[in-house]
Amino acid sequence: MRAAHRRTALLAASVIAVPLLLTGPATAAPPQEETGPGADELLVIGHRGASGYRPEHTLAAYELAARMGADYIEPDVVSTRDGVLVARHENEISGTTDVAERAEFADRRTTKVIDGVELTGWFTEDFTLAELRTLRAVERLPDVREENTLYDGLYQVPTLDEVLELREELSRELRREVGVYIETKHPTYFDSIDLSLEEPLVEDLDEARLDHRRAPVFVQSFETANLRELDGVVDVPLVQLLSATGAPADLVAAGDERTYADLATAEGLAEIAEYADGVGPEKGQVIPREADGTLGDSTSLVDDAHAVDLLVHPYTFRNENTFLPAELREGAAPDDYGRAIDEQLAFWATGIDGMFTDNPDTGVVSRDLFED
Ligand code: G3P
Ligand code: CA
């Protein structure tokens, strides 16, 4: 059993007043031992980079996350028309780029059904990489993160190759391994249009010499079949993402009636352990909210997962009131910061092995408080 699993709950969800650096990067983290998988560290994963401070999935967001001390940076990947993996949370890009303002691409606006959901907009698979590179990233949540709109129009959509290169450069500069936690988005859909994500992923990892068991890499997915396939192909650890609702798109497509709720049972987790090394649940699957929005009691998910040697990395921790339990909000403004550290301490105390956060500096503070 990993050391992290043996940690007892040293701190309850106590109220600890800690001043936070809210708007800028923390100083570079000091050199550390290897923090790759198996190193028994509690991991802070920069969700879409430091997306609380920069438009998500840009090199600037990833770089800031690493400089804030994130152990891993998290690119979600989709494909271009010419088969290049690029970092976007979804293939429909009107919410995170300026594509809607580009007259030259007006005729690419279209409607598609992705994983059973009808979407209208612009899709990465309809753009070559060269075309996509003419776009610029914008903040997804301008109402919540108005400060981030300062950076609208500055950054391109990065390729996965570029993210891996940045990872290497930052690891060298910071004198610690910065990990990369890659999520393939909509793999069944991309298979259906002959733009399978797995082959270019394996190629990119190979080229970066990152396909080995001790590489600072996780590969994650909300689907199951692609992870089973990758299990026989790559040596890096795999993480099955879970959700509080719904079912994996590949199971739905295959007529398999299992849902995420089924996967999160002790029996479902034992099956996941046959091909994966961890699970990434929605944070409410670890500590659900009560009807009034306050934190409730933790579920058995962490213990059940650890019982079959699966790591547990819940998502997504954010500083703003709108994302926090009711009792940890400060003031009425949804975009003001609440007591995010207290929320995170409650989650560390359940025995989780890491967390995805839009605010890696906050995650580092809470992790360090918990470990002290
Ligand atoms: O991959 C963990 C977390 O990022 C899953 O949620 O929708 O932000 O990719 P999402
Ligand atoms: Ca993700």
Side-chain angles (χ1 to χ4, degrees):
M1 184 176 281
R2 302 173 79 251
H5 300 179
R6 293 196 299 269
R7 282 193 183 91
T8 51
L10 297 177
L11 284 176
S14 56
V15 178
I16 300 173
V18 178
L20 276 178
L21 184 62
L22 298 182
T23 54
T27 52
Q32 295 178 359
E33 296 301 309
E34 181 191 354
T35 56
D40 283 337
E41 299 289 335
L42 297 183
L43 300 180
V44 174
I45 304 149
H47 183 246
R48 312 183 195 176
S51 55
Y53 309 110
R54 295 289 185 277
E56 67 184 41
H57 291 312
T58 58
L59 293 181
Y62 298 132
E63 179 175 347
L64 183 55
R67 293 190 186 285
M68 286 180 157
D71 301 297
Y72 282 72
I73 53 178
E74 192 231 2
D76 298 323
V77 297
V78 293
S79 182
T80 63
R81 191 168 80 197
D82 39 355
V84 180
L85 297 186
V86 293
R88 287 292 91 189
H89 179 260
E90 54 273 293
N91 50 333
E92 199 289 293
I93 51 176
S94 60
T96 62
T97 72
D98 61 358
V99 66
E101 315 303 320
R102 298 298 189 93
E104 68 271 34
F105 297 128
D107 62 354
R108 305 275 175 100
R109 188 171 186 268
T110 186
T111 298
K112 303 188 185 200
V113 176
I114 312 291
D115 296 346
V117 178
E118 187 174 285
L119 296 170
T120 297
W122 289 260
F123 296 82
T124 57
E125 65 269 25
D126 297 332
F127 291 76
T128 63
L129 178 63
E131 289 170 334
L132 202 67
R133 301 288 268 180
T134 68
L135 304 179
R136 292 295 179 269
V138 300
E139 170 56 38
R140 175 192 292 276
L141 303 171
D143 296 336
V144 179
R145 294 173 174 164
E146 197 267 334
E147 295 92 336
N148 294 6
T149 63
L150 264 178
Y151 308 100
D152 282 359
L154 295 186
Y155 309 122
Q156 290 178 306
V157 172
T159 63
L160 178 59
D161 272 344
E162 287 177 317
V163 180
L164 299 182
E165 279 167 24
L166 176 71
R167 184 214 75 81
E168 192 173 342
E169 285 166 20
L170 287 167
S171 297
R172 220 172 7 246
E173 181 193 329
L174 300 175
R175 290 186 292 147
R176 67 181 173 88
E177 285 286 4
V178 175
V180 64
Y181 206 127
I182 305 165
E183 181 185 352
T184 55
K185 286 290 188 188
H186 310 298
T188 293
Y189 167 73
F190 277 106
D191 277 349
S192 77
I193 57 170
D194 290 329
L195 285 172
S196 178
L197 302 175
E198 288 74 29
E199 292 79 3
L201 171 65
V202 171
E203 209 170 291
D204 285 353
L205 288 175
D206 272 344
E207 274 174 19
R209 298 181 306 281
L210 286 174
D211 181 13
H212 58 89
R213 191 69 195 168
R214 298 291 299 173
V217 176
F218 286 100
V219 173
Q220 47 165 341
S221 179
F222 277 108
E223 295 192 19
T224 65
N226 62 325
L227 290 178
R228 287 182 188 276
E229 180 188 331
L230 283 168
D231 184 37
V233 177
V234 294
D235 290 326
V236 300
L238 306 174
V239 172
Q240 177 68 64
L241 295 173
L242 302 172
S243 173
T245 58
D250 62 304
L251 295 186
V252 173
D256 186 322
E257 293 186 350
R258 281 176 297 161
T259 64
Y260 286 117
D262 297 322
L263 267 56
T265 62
E267 188 186 10
L269 293 166
E271 269 188 49
I272 290 170
E274 291 169 11
Y275 60 88
D277 304 85
V279 288
E282 220 172 85
K283 63 184 181 179
Q285 294 177 279
V286 175
I287 308 182
R289 304 252 177 111
E290 301 288 358
D292 65 359
T294 59
L295 275 185
D297 296 325
S298 54
T299 67
S300 63
L301 178 64
V302 174
D303 288 345
D304 292 345
H306 286 173
V308 289
D309 279 333
L310 289 171
L311 299 165
V312 184
H313 296 158
Y315 62 90
T316 301
F317 293 85
R318 300 175 165 117
N319 283 355
E320 293 93 350
N321 278 329
T322 192
F323 304 113
L324 289 170
E327 76 276 28
L328 299 181
R329 296 175 193 151
E330 294 282 5
D335 53 332
D336 277 357
Y337 282 4
R339 284 153 46 208
I341 290 174
D342 291 331
E343 183 199 37
Q344 293 174 15
L345 287 171
F347 277 81
W348 290 124
T350 66
I352 61 170
D353 305 285
M355 63 169 61
F356 290 87
T357 174
D358 289 3
N359 307 93
D361 51 351
T362 309
V364 169
V365 169
S366 74
R367 189 261 314 272
D368 292 350
L369 279 170
F370 177 70
E371 290 187 320
D372 284 348

PDB file of all heavy atoms in Angstrom, residues 340-363:
ATOM      1  N   ALA A 340     -11.319  28.315   0.196  1.00  0.00           N
ATOM      2  CA  ALA A 340     -10.971  27.147  -0.621  1.00  0.00           C
ATOM      3  C   ALA A 340      -9.989  26.229   0.105  1.00  0.00           C
ATOM      4  O   ALA A 340     -10.034  25.008  -0.052  1.00  0.00           O
ATOM      5  CB  ALA A 340     -10.380  27.612  -1.950  1.00  0.00           C
ATOM      6  N   ILE A 341      -9.107  26.818   0.892  1.00  0.00           N
ATOM      7  CA  ILE A 341      -8.129  25.982   1.609  1.00  0.00           C
ATOM      8  C   ILE A 341      -8.841  25.040   2.577  1.00  0.00           C
ATOM      9  O   ILE A 341      -8.467  23.868   2.712  1.00  0.00           O
ATOM     10  CB  ILE A 341      -7.103  26.870   2.338  1.00  0.00           C
ATOM     11  CG1 ILE A 341      -6.201  27.562   1.299  1.00  0.00           C
ATOM     12  CG2 ILE A 341      -6.273  26.059   3.327  1.00  0.00           C
ATOM     13  CD1 ILE A 341      -5.252  28.568   1.888  1.00  0.00           C
ATOM     14  N   ASP A 342      -9.865  25.547   3.228  1.00  0.00           N
ATOM     15  CA  ASP A 342     -10.600  24.684   4.161  1.00  0.00           C
ATOM     16  C   ASP A 342     -11.301  23.539   3.432  1.00  0.00           C
ATOM     17  O   ASP A 342     -11.335  22.408   3.914  1.00  0.00           O
ATOM     18  CB  ASP A 342     -11.612  25.513   4.958  1.00  0.00           C
ATOM     19  CG  ASP A 342     -10.924  26.458   5.928  1.00  0.00           C
ATOM     20  OD1 ASP A 342      -9.819  26.116   6.387  1.00  0.00           O
ATOM     21  OD2 ASP A 342     -11.467  27.533   6.204  1.00  0.00           O
ATOM     22  N   GLU A 343     -11.856  23.851   2.263  1.00  0.00           N
ATOM     23  CA  GLU A 343     -12.465  22.763   1.479  1.00  0.00           C
ATOM     24  C   GLU A 343     -11.410  21.704   1.156  1.00  0.00           C
ATOM     25  O   GLU A 343     -11.630  20.499   1.324  1.00  0.00           O
ATOM     26  CB  GLU A 343     -13.064  23.306   0.181  1.00  0.00           C
ATOM     27  CG  GLU A 343     -13.762  22.206  -0.617  1.00  0.00           C
ATOM     28  CD  GLU A 343     -13.987  22.545  -2.089  1.00  0.00           C
ATOM     29  OE1 GLU A 343     -13.120  23.196  -2.697  1.00  0.00           O
ATOM     30  OE2 GLU A 343     -15.016  22.115  -2.627  1.00  0.00           O
ATOM     31  N   GLN A 344     -10.253  22.169   0.713  1.00  0.00           N
ATOM     32  CA  GLN A 344      -9.215  21.222   0.295  1.00  0.00           C
ATOM     33  C   GLN A 344      -8.690  20.405   1.470  1.00  0.00           C
ATOM     34  O   GLN A 344      -8.407  19.207   1.334  1.00  0.00           O
ATOM     35  CB  GLN A 344      -8.099  21.979  -0.419  1.00  0.00           C
ATOM     36  CG  GLN A 344      -8.597  22.561  -1.746  1.00  0.00           C
ATOM     37  CD  GLN A 344      -7.599  23.448  -2.438  1.00  0.00           C
ATOM     38  OE1 GLN A 344      -6.417  23.458  -2.109  1.00  0.00           O
ATOM     39  NE2 GLN A 344      -8.067  24.218  -3.407  1.00  0.00           N
ATOM     40  N   LEU A 345      -8.576  21.032   2.632  1.00  0.00           N
ATOM     41  CA  LEU A 345      -8.123  20.275   3.815  1.00  0.00           C
ATOM     42  C   LEU A 345      -9.098  19.140   4.135  1.00  0.00           C
ATOM     43  O   LEU A 345      -8.681  18.034   4.503  1.00  0.00           O
ATOM     44  CB  LEU A 345      -7.980  21.206   5.020  1.00  0.00           C
ATOM     45  CG  LEU A 345      -6.776  22.147   4.964  1.00  0.00           C
ATOM     46  CD1 LEU A 345      -6.848  23.171   6.104  1.00  0.00           C
ATOM     47  CD2 LEU A 345      -5.462  21.369   5.039  1.00  0.00           C
ATOM     48  N   ALA A 346     -10.385  19.420   3.978  1.00  0.00           N
ATOM     49  CA  ALA A 346     -11.380  18.363   4.230  1.00  0.00           C
ATOM     50  C   ALA A 346     -11.177  17.200   3.262  1.00  0.00           C
ATOM     51  O   ALA A 346     -11.317  16.030   3.637  1.00  0.00           O
ATOM     52  CB  ALA A 346     -12.791  18.938   4.091  1.00  0.00           C
ATOM     53  N   PHE A 347     -10.816  17.533   2.028  1.00  0.00           N
ATOM     54  CA  PHE A 347     -10.616  16.456   1.043  1.00  0.00           C
ATOM     55  C   PHE A 347      -9.302  15.712   1.266  1.00  0.00           C
ATOM     56  O   PHE A 347      -9.254  14.488   1.160  1.00  0.00           O
ATOM     57  CB  PHE A 347     -10.711  17.014  -0.385  1.00  0.00           C
ATOM     58  CG  PHE A 347     -12.134  17.128  -0.853  1.00  0.00           C
ATOM     59  CD1 PHE A 347     -12.926  18.208  -0.481  1.00  0.00           C
ATOM     60  CD2 PHE A 347     -12.705  16.137  -1.632  1.00  0.00           C
ATOM     61  CE1 PHE A 347     -14.257  18.310  -0.884  1.00  0.00           C
ATOM     62  CE2 PHE A 347     -14.032  16.225  -2.047  1.00  0.00           C
ATOM     63  CZ  PHE A 347     -14.809  17.307  -1.671  1.00  0.00           C
ATOM     64  N   TRP A 348      -8.223  16.445   1.569  1.00  0.00           N
ATOM     65  CA  TRP A 348      -6.964  15.732   1.869  1.00  0.00           C
ATOM     66  C   TRP A 348      -7.187  14.737   3.005  1.00  0.00           C
ATOM     67  O   TRP A 348      -6.637  13.635   3.019  1.00  0.00           O
ATOM     68  CB  TRP A 348      -5.854  16.709   2.254  1.00  0.00           C
ATOM     69  CG  TRP A 348      -5.312  17.581   1.153  1.00  0.00           C
ATOM     70  CD1 TRP A 348      -5.258  18.942   1.150  1.00  0.00           C
ATOM     71  CD2 TRP A 348      -4.719  17.161  -0.097  1.00  0.00           C
ATOM     72  NE1 TRP A 348      -4.682  19.401  -0.018  1.00  0.00           N
ATOM     73  CE2 TRP A 348      -4.332  18.326  -0.794  1.00  0.00           C
ATOM     74  CE3 TRP A 348      -4.483  15.921  -0.679  1.00  0.00           C
ATOM     75  CZ2 TRP A 348      -3.733  18.286  -2.051  1.00  0.00           C
ATOM     76  CZ3 TRP A 348      -3.870  15.871  -1.936  1.00  0.00           C
ATOM     77  CH2 TRP A 348      -3.509  17.041  -2.610  1.00  0.00           C
ATOM     78  N   ALA A 349      -8.013  15.145   3.980  1.00  0.00           N
ATOM     79  CA  ALA A 349      -8.234  14.299   5.165  1.00  0.00           C
ATOM     80  C   ALA A 349      -8.962  12.994   4.827  1.00  0.00           C
ATOM     81  O   ALA A 349      -8.931  12.050   5.622  1.00  0.00           O
ATOM     82  CB  ALA A 349      -9.025  15.080   6.224  1.00  0.00           C
ATOM     83  N   THR A 350      -9.589  12.917   3.652  1.00  0.00           N
ATOM     84  CA  THR A 350     -10.251  11.652   3.280  1.00  0.00           C
ATOM     85  C   THR A 350      -9.249  10.609   2.801  1.00  0.00           C
ATOM     86  O   THR A 350      -9.610   9.454   2.618  1.00  0.00           O
ATOM     87  CB  THR A 350     -11.287  11.863   2.145  1.00  0.00           C
ATOM     88  OG1 THR A 350     -10.583  12.243   0.946  1.00  0.00           O
ATOM     89  CG2 THR A 350     -12.322  12.918   2.526  1.00  0.00           C
ATOM     90  N   GLY A 351      -7.998  11.053   2.535  1.00  0.00           N
ATOM     91  CA  GLY A 351      -6.990  10.100   2.054  1.00  0.00           C
ATOM     92  C   GLY A 351      -6.747  10.149   0.564  1.00  0.00           C
ATOM     93  O   GLY A 351      -6.037   9.281   0.029  1.00  0.00           O
ATOM     94  N   ILE A 352      -7.308  11.149  -0.123  1.00  0.00           N
ATOM     95  CA  ILE A 352      -7.058  11.261  -1.568  1.00  0.00           C
ATOM     96  C   ILE A 352      -5.561  11.410  -1.828  1.00  0.00           C
ATOM     97  O   ILE A 352      -4.796  11.839  -0.950  1.00  0.00           O
ATOM     98  CB  ILE A 352      -7.826  12.444  -2.194  1.00  0.00           C
ATOM     99  CG1 ILE A 352      -7.382  13.784  -1.569  1.00  0.00           C
ATOM    100  CG2 ILE A 352      -9.327  12.232  -2.074  1.00  0.00           C
ATOM    101  CD1 ILE A 352      -7.922  15.007  -2.303  1.00  0.00           C
ATOM    102  N   ASP A 353      -5.171  11.065  -3.058  1.00  0.00           N
ATOM    103  CA  ASP A 353      -3.744  11.051  -3.405  1.00  0.00           C
ATOM    104  C   ASP A 353      -3.320  12.263  -4.213  1.00  0.00           C
ATOM    105  O   ASP A 353      -2.134  12.406  -4.544  1.00  0.00           O
ATOM    106  CB  ASP A 353      -3.448   9.785  -4.213  1.00  0.00           C
ATOM    107  CG  ASP A 353      -3.881   8.547  -3.468  1.00  0.00           C
ATOM    108  OD1 ASP A 353      -3.189   8.168  -2.515  1.00  0.00           O
ATOM    109  OD2 ASP A 353      -4.952   8.000  -3.800  1.00  0.00           O
ATOM    110  N   GLY A 354      -4.273  13.097  -4.565  1.00  0.00           N
ATOM    111  CA  GLY A 354      -3.952  14.280  -5.349  1.00  0.00           C
ATOM    112  C   GLY A 354      -5.249  14.982  -5.683  1.00  0.00           C
ATOM    113  O   GLY A 354      -6.340  14.459  -5.420  1.00  0.00           O
ATOM    114  N   MET A 355      -5.118  16.177  -6.250  1.00  0.00           N
ATOM    115  CA  MET A 355      -6.336  16.898  -6.655  1.00  0.00           C
ATOM    116  C   MET A 355      -6.069  17.749  -7.887  1.00  0.00           C
ATOM    117  O   MET A 355      -4.960  18.267  -8.085  1.00  0.00           O
ATOM    118  CB  MET A 355      -6.883  17.763  -5.523  1.00  0.00           C
ATOM    119  CG  MET A 355      -5.978  18.867  -5.051  1.00  0.00           C
ATOM    120  SD  MET A 355      -6.819  20.032  -3.928  1.00  0.00           S
ATOM    121  CE  MET A 355      -7.308  18.978  -2.566  1.00  0.00           C
ATOM    122  N   PHE A 356      -7.079  17.866  -8.718  1.00  0.00           N
ATOM    123  CA  PHE A 356      -7.037  18.797  -9.851  1.00  0.00           C
ATOM    124  C   PHE A 356      -7.541  20.142  -9.355  1.00  0.00           C
ATOM    125  O   PHE A 356      -8.628  20.233  -8.760  1.00  0.00           O
ATOM    126  CB  PHE A 356      -7.993  18.334 -10.959  1.00  0.00           C
ATOM    127  CG  PHE A 356      -7.568  17.086 -11.680  1.00  0.00           C
ATOM    128  CD1 PHE A 356      -7.920  15.829 -11.198  1.00  0.00           C
ATOM    129  CD2 PHE A 356      -6.835  17.158 -12.854  1.00  0.00           C
ATOM    130  CE1 PHE A 356      -7.555  14.670 -11.881  1.00  0.00           C
ATOM    131  CE2 PHE A 356      -6.465  16.000 -13.542  1.00  0.00           C
ATOM    132  CZ  PHE A 356      -6.829  14.760 -13.047  1.00  0.00           C
ATOM    133  N   THR A 357      -6.766  21.193  -9.611  1.00  0.00           N
ATOM    134  CA  THR A 357      -7.215  22.518  -9.190  1.00  0.00           C
ATOM    135  C   THR A 357      -6.864  23.573 -10.228  1.00  0.00           C
ATOM    136  O   THR A 357      -5.792  23.534 -10.836  1.00  0.00           O
ATOM    137  CB  THR A 357      -6.640  22.900  -7.811  1.00  0.00           C
ATOM    138  OG1 THR A 357      -7.007  24.270  -7.533  1.00  0.00           O
ATOM    139  CG2 THR A 357      -5.134  22.773  -7.752  1.00  0.00           C
ATOM    140  N   ASP A 358      -7.797  24.518 -10.398  1.00  0.00           N
ATOM    141  CA  ASP A 358      -7.545  25.669 -11.281  1.00  0.00           C
ATOM    142  C   ASP A 358      -6.555  26.644 -10.641  1.00  0.00           C
ATOM    143  O   ASP A 358      -6.055  27.543 -11.311  1.00  0.00           O
ATOM    144  CB  ASP A 358      -8.848  26.440 -11.538  1.00  0.00           C
ATOM    145  CG  ASP A 358      -9.826  25.695 -12.434  1.00  0.00           C
ATOM    146  OD1 ASP A 358      -9.534  24.545 -12.827  1.00  0.00           O
ATOM    147  OD2 ASP A 358     -10.887  26.276 -12.749  1.00  0.00           O
ATOM    148  N   ASN A 359      -6.328  26.499  -9.339  1.00  0.00           N
ATOM    149  CA  ASN A 359      -5.484  27.430  -8.575  1.00  0.00           C
ATOM    150  C   ASN A 359      -4.373  26.630  -7.892  1.00  0.00           C
ATOM    151  O   ASN A 359      -4.436  26.335  -6.683  1.00  0.00           O
ATOM    152  CB  ASN A 359      -6.332  28.146  -7.516  1.00  0.00           C
ATOM    153  CG  ASN A 359      -7.568  28.803  -8.119  1.00  0.00           C
ATOM    154  OD1 ASN A 359      -8.648  28.192  -8.160  1.00  0.00           O
ATOM    155  ND2 ASN A 359      -7.419  30.011  -8.615  1.00  0.00           N
ATOM    156  N   PRO A 360      -3.340  26.263  -8.646  1.00  0.00           N
ATOM    157  CA  PRO A 360      -2.319  25.380  -8.085  1.00  0.00           C
ATOM    158  C   PRO A 360      -1.627  25.961  -6.847  1.00  0.00           C
ATOM    159  O   PRO A 360      -1.215  25.199  -5.958  1.00  0.00           O
ATOM    160  CB  PRO A 360      -1.317  25.215  -9.225  1.00  0.00           C
ATOM    161  CG  PRO A 360      -2.079  25.531 -10.458  1.00  0.00           C
ATOM    162  CD  PRO A 360      -3.102  26.553 -10.074  1.00  0.00           C
ATOM    163  N   ASP A 361      -1.497  27.286  -6.768  1.00  0.00           N
ATOM    164  CA  ASP A 361      -0.859  27.867  -5.575  1.00  0.00           C
ATOM    165  C   ASP A 361      -1.671  27.560  -4.320  1.00  0.00           C
ATOM    166  O   ASP A 361      -1.124  27.232  -3.264  1.00  0.00           O
ATOM    167  CB  ASP A 361      -0.610  29.377  -5.730  1.00  0.00           C
ATOM    168  CG  ASP A 361      -1.824  30.166  -6.170  1.00  0.00           C
ATOM    169  OD1 ASP A 361      -2.861  29.559  -6.535  1.00  0.00           O
ATOM    170  OD2 ASP A 361      -1.752  31.411  -6.147  1.00  0.00           O
ATOM    171  N   THR A 362      -2.984  27.614  -4.433  1.00  0.00           N
ATOM    172  CA  THR A 362      -3.853  27.269  -3.302  1.00  0.00           C
ATOM    173  C   THR A 362      -3.718  25.781  -2.966  1.00  0.00           C
ATOM    174  O   THR A 362      -3.652  25.407  -1.786  1.00  0.00           O
ATOM    175  CB  THR A 362      -5.318  27.597  -3.635  1.00  0.00           C
ATOM    176  OG1 THR A 362      -5.388  28.940  -4.116  1.00  0.00           O
ATOM    177  CG2 THR A 362      -6.209  27.444  -2.417  1.00  0.00           C
ATOM    178  N   GLY A 363      -3.659  24.955  -4.002  1.00  0.00           N
ATOM    179  CA  GLY A 363      -3.499  23.513  -3.778  1.00  0.00           C
ATOM    180  C   GLY A 363      -2.204  23.185  -3.062  1.00  0.00           C
ATOM    181  O   GLY A 363      -2.164  22.326  -2.173  1.00  0.00           O
TER     182      GLY A 363
END
